[in-house]
Amino acid sequence: MRFKDKVALVTGGSRGIGKAIVEALTKEGATVVFTYKSSKEAAEQFASELNGSGAITEAYQHDASDTEGAQRLVEHVVKIYGGIDILVNNAGITRDQLLMRMNEADWDLVIDNNLKSVYNLSKAVLRPMMSKRYGKIVNMSSVVGVMGNAGQTNYAAAKAGILGFTKALAREVASRNICVNAIAPGFIETDMTGNLNDDQKKMLQDQIPLKRLGKADDVAQVVCFLCSTDADYMTGQVLCVDGGMVMS
Ligand code: NAP
């Protein structure tokens, strides 16, 4: 039980990678508040299943791009659960299009949901984490932020921005015993990659040294590692969970 007595906040926990992270953290004893944007029924059903099996979880509706809402969310978690030890900035979206055809609204939407969202909650948790002199922040980037990908300039810019943000914040808060790291997943089987057809999946698999797409739990286990005491001497790092696509 690596997270007994720890309180975690996970954004975008109703589906996909975030859901696997919530499951993995609760399995190891964490109390987890997770957010969703629109899938209220699925989020509440998931929380009640976990609570039924003895975990302490709460599904909380919050649009990760909403700055004032982020402050209210953190105040709620601190008031009800006594603090925040772990923040996983996982929520994200794509709106793919070649730059020639990308409109400003899709540029702004992707930057706000993937990058500004990380600013919003990371800033909001700093005060409670600093007062405890303890914190683990994990930001969900992507191999696309490391390698680029045609049709994803907005998403690549946001995910690369997360990497710079992670390293800068890691330097700002290391003296307060707050570790800030990022994960760059490759192609993971979730709703986000659900519209790939079999030919596209086959083409991707051929480019992945481990010859398979990743599972949400492949990412969740690395999140747990970074949030655990095993990673107490790691900050400002980027871990690629991508079957070997990026090797540095
Ligand atoms: P997903 O299956 O589409 O699930 C996205 C989750 O984020 C859902 O819980 C969704 O909530 C939530 N969400 C979206 N926008 C939100 C917002 N503005 N506020 C709060 N919650 C929001 O995505 P995924 O594949 O699990 O991806 C999770 C993260 O990993 C993302 O940051 C993504 O960019 C990154 N990633 C994914 C892959 C991949 O191959 N899947 C690869 C690299 C990186 P609702 O259910 O309410 O919509």
Side-chain angles (χ1 to χ4, degrees):
M1 296 292 252
R2 286 184 290 180
F3 306 117
K4 192 174 172 294
D5 301 327
K6 298 283 187 244
V7 177
L9 174 56
V10 179
T11 65
S14 53
R15 293 185 283 121
I17 294 171
K19 187 173 183 183
I21 294 168
V22 174
E23 272 171 348
L25 288 170
T26 53
K27 210 168 166 184
E28 297 212 49
T31 294
V32 182
V33 177
F34 68 88
T35 67
Y36 61 94
K37 184 179 175 187
S38 44
S39 48
K40 182 177 168 66
E41 205 174 311
E44 287 183 350
Q45 166 77 19
F46 176 45
S48 83
E49 277 166 23
L50 289 171
N51 291 337
S53 64
I56 304 172
T57 60
E58 180 183 340
Y60 188 105
Q61 197 283 328
H62 168 246
D63 181 336
S65 65
D66 169 8
T67 309
E68 285 174 15
Q71 193 57 45
R72 285 195 298 276
L73 164 58
V74 167
E75 282 166 12
H76 166 82
V77 177
V78 170
K79 187 171 166 210
I80 304 293
Y81 303 100
I84 298 186
D85 304 289
I86 295 166
L87 168 65
V88 185
N89 281 309
N90 165 76
I93 60 164
T94 52
R95 289 292 182 279
D96 298 350
Q97 189 57 271
L98 294 173
L99 185 62
M100 285 283 282
R101 295 197 210 117
M102 188 181 292
N103 61 41
E104 189 182 349
D106 279 349
W107 172 268
D108 287 344
L109 193 71
V110 168
I111 299 293
D112 285 354
N113 280 273
N114 291 279
L115 182 58
K116 188 181 175 198
S117 55
V118 173
Y119 158 83
N120 287 341
L121 272 167
S122 302
K123 186 168 179 204
V125 298
L126 283 189
R127 212 175 285 277
M129 283 186 176
M130 280 178 173
S131 67
K132 265 193 169 182
R133 296 188 82 80
Y134 182 88
K136 301 276 191 185
I137 299 176
V138 178
N139 297 322
M140 205 56 72
S141 177
S142 166
V143 286
V144 169
V146 181
M147 304 164 59
N149 195 23
Q152 292 196 305
T153 49
N154 49 2
Y155 185 74
K159 294 303 192 185
I162 287 177
L163 301 181
F165 178 98
T166 298
K167 293 172 192 179
L169 182 60
R171 289 184 187 277
E172 286 183 20
V173 298
S175 63
R176 308 300 177 97
N177 195 32
I178 300 171
C179 297
V180 191
N181 292 290
I183 294 181
F187 291 97
I188 310 297
E189 286 177 345
T190 67
D191 293 346
M192 192 175 267
T193 49
N195 57 1
L196 294 172
N197 62 38
D198 286 348
D199 287 347
Q200 289 168 315
K201 280 191 184 166
K202 169 85 179 62
M203 208 176 70
L204 284 173
Q205 275 166 13
D206 289 344
Q207 296 165 28
I208 301 170
L210 286 175
K211 298 291 174 215
R212 67 171 176 89
L213 270 65
K215 305 232 171 286
D217 197 51
D218 290 325
V219 180
Q221 293 308 320
V222 180
V223 171
C224 286
F225 164 67
L226 286 175
C227 295
S228 75
T229 55
D230 294 340
D232 275 354
Y233 199 53
M234 289 179 70
T235 196
Q237 302 305 307
V238 181
L239 297 185
C240 293
V241 183
D242 62 357
M245 287 175 74
V246 172
M247 294 190 189
S248 53

